[in-house]
Amino acid sequence: MTWDAYYELDDIYAWIDDLVATYPTVASTIEGGTSHEGRTIKGIKISHGSGKKIIFIESGIHAREWITPAVTNYIINELLSSTDEETQAAARDFDWYIFPVTNPDGYIWTHTEFRLWRKNRRPFGDEVGVDLNRNWNNNWLGVGSSNVTSSNTYAGPGPFSEAETRTLSEYISSLADDIELYLSMHSSGQLLLLPFGNTTEPLANYYDAMKIGRRAMGALSVRYGTPYTTGNIAEAIYLATGTSIDWVKEALKIPLVYCYELRDRGTYGHLLPADQILPSGEETMDSILEMIHQARRLDYMNSGSGLHASLLTIAFVFVNYVMF
Ligand SMILES: [Zn+2]
């Protein structure tokens, strides 16, 4: 694996196996589900000990958005081999569940047949494919999705009708109690999106999520000056329903949920040159570290060490009491 080329599915899956062999005490292979054509949605779990809170990364659900598996692979590599202290701490403090390619059939299609394919590969008469990011069971077939099979935003015959979304959502549900941060990787547009896509109403913990997100995007821009805009889906991009982040937020009540729209802002779009993989990976990793930092300041993502923190507070109060 290098950071100057886009890789095919088999290469990415073989690389995950290699990592697990190289870091057997920390890394393990995980299966998030199965595709329509029967392929495994393979991922990697990075854990320095049980009982940690989870950061979940879902990437590559739109087949043509090649920068997303590439950046996600970069993040995996950093978590396992970086010498940076903050990165090492992030790797140690959480259990990371990471899936670089959640639409494996579509991803293969973009490499072998049609570079700009977006959907999965399930046939419907003469047409093929469901937009897997319109198929989640939250406001399904609402604004911004289509019931026409030829459409690029075809929402499918029903919510969770697709093997990929059904199996992956079951897998995510099984971990829901421990997930503190959920990231969904897309391109392009340089946006950080938060739920929801059907309304611009500031629902749930919108203000906290905005504050954390904006600061994370500030950190992202430091290295190369790449500007990102933060907002909920509906206010920042367009109305969209049946997306993974809306379902994860509403059905599973995950505290912090974001969707990245990675580089760029239209010059190359989905055909982003491979020489942008490394800088995209670096700046995205910067932003995730800042996201964790800012979340903790607002009292998110502390649950794993909550007992530790309160014991420290008690000790501090006790020392003060004795001294004065
Ligand atoms: Zn996308």
Side-chain angles (χ1 to χ4, degrees):
M1 181 65 61
T2 61
W3 312 113
D4 54 5
Y6 292 108
Y7 285 82
E8 296 189 26
L9 186 76
D10 287 350
D11 297 326
I12 295 172
Y13 280 8
W15 178 67
I16 289 175
D17 292 340
D18 286 349
L19 289 176
V20 170
T22 309
Y23 302 96
T25 57
V26 177
S28 52
T29 304
I30 46 178
E31 292 188 7
T34 314
S35 72
H36 172 73
E37 292 175 354
R39 293 185 178 86
T40 298
I41 299 172
K42 186 193 262 199
I44 189 166
K45 177 183 174 186
I46 298 171
S47 172
H48 288 256
S50 59
K52 308 269 174 65
K53 289 295 176 178
I54 293 171
I55 297 176
F56 195 105
I57 304 181
E58 160 241 298
S59 188
I61 204 166
H62 284 149
R64 63 193 179 185
E65 298 169 6
W66 283 9
I67 189 62
T68 70
V71 160
T72 302
N73 290 340
Y74 179 84
I75 293 165
I76 292 169
N77 194 60
E78 283 293 292
L79 291 169
L80 288 171
S81 64
S82 173
T83 54
D84 171 67
E85 270 182 33
E86 199 182 352
T87 307
Q88 289 180 346
R92 269 197 317 270
D93 289 353
F94 298 95
D95 283 350
W96 295 76
Y97 287 72
I98 307 179
F99 292 93
V101 184
T102 52
N103 176 10
D105 303 347
Y107 190 66
I108 287 180
W109 198 253
T110 62
H111 281 273
T112 57
E113 301 294 335
F114 180 48
R115 173 66 185 83
L116 290 177
W117 189 256
R118 168 180 166 103
K119 303 187 282 182
N120 75 351
R121 291 297 306 163
R122 181 180 171 196
F124 295 90
D126 291 341
E127 301 295 341
V128 175
V130 169
D131 182 345
L132 295 177
N133 209 33
R134 298 292 182 278
N135 188 243
W136 298 65
N137 190 14
N138 185 270
N139 291 311
W140 177 81
L141 200 55
V143 196
S145 63
S146 173
N147 60 1
V148 177
T149 52
S150 61
S151 168
N152 242 344
T153 54
Y154 176 49
F160 287 146
S161 57
E162 301 313 290
E164 294 86 352
T165 50
R166 189 171 59 248
T167 55
L168 185 60
S169 63
E170 285 166 6
Y171 183 78
I172 299 166
S173 296
S174 73
L175 303 167
D177 287 350
D178 293 316
I179 302 176
E180 292 275 307
L181 173 64
Y182 185 96
L183 302 177
S184 172
M185 295 298 187
H186 288 259
S187 71
S188 57
Q190 293 170 206
L191 303 162
L192 185 73
L193 306 172
L194 42 130
F196 290 85
N198 64 318
T199 172
T200 54
E201 289 280 299
L203 298 176
N205 55 341
Y206 171 88
Y207 294 104
D208 280 357
M210 278 295 281
K211 202 177 291 178
I212 294 163
R214 279 195 177 132
R215 291 191 172 159
M217 293 307 103
L220 185 149
S221 72
V222 169
R223 196 183 284 259
Y224 296 110
T226 312
Y228 266 64
T229 304
T230 306
N232 89 2
I233 301 172
E235 70 188 354
I237 182 165
Y238 42 54
L239 291 164
T241 51
T243 65
S244 67
I245 68 165
D246 281 7
W247 181 80
V248 164
K249 184 67 185 168
E250 184 144 294
L252 305 182
K253 310 289 183 221
I254 304 304
L256 291 171
V257 180
Y258 294 99
C259 169
Y260 278 79
E261 296 282 353
L262 298 175
R263 290 190 188 193
D264 54 12
R265 277 191 167 161
T267 308
Y268 298 103
H270 304 308
L271 303 176
L272 194 73
D275 63 7
Q276 294 200 35
I277 295 172
L278 181 59
S280 298
E282 290 171 327
E283 66 193 10
T284 306
M285 192 70 217
D286 291 343
S287 73
I288 293 174
L289 295 178
E290 183 66 11
M291 196 176 266
I292 295 168
H293 176 65
Q294 293 297 336
R296 283 174 155 167
R297 287 186 63 226
L298 293 183
D299 227 17
Y300 292 87
M301 305 183 76
N302 288 324
S303 340
S305 51
L307 179 63
H308 182 64
S310 30
L311 285 176
L312 275 179
T313 310
I314 291 165
F316 182 70
V317 168
F318 180 70
V319 167
N320 274 339
Y321 176 78
V322 170
M323 283 173 73
F324 304 105

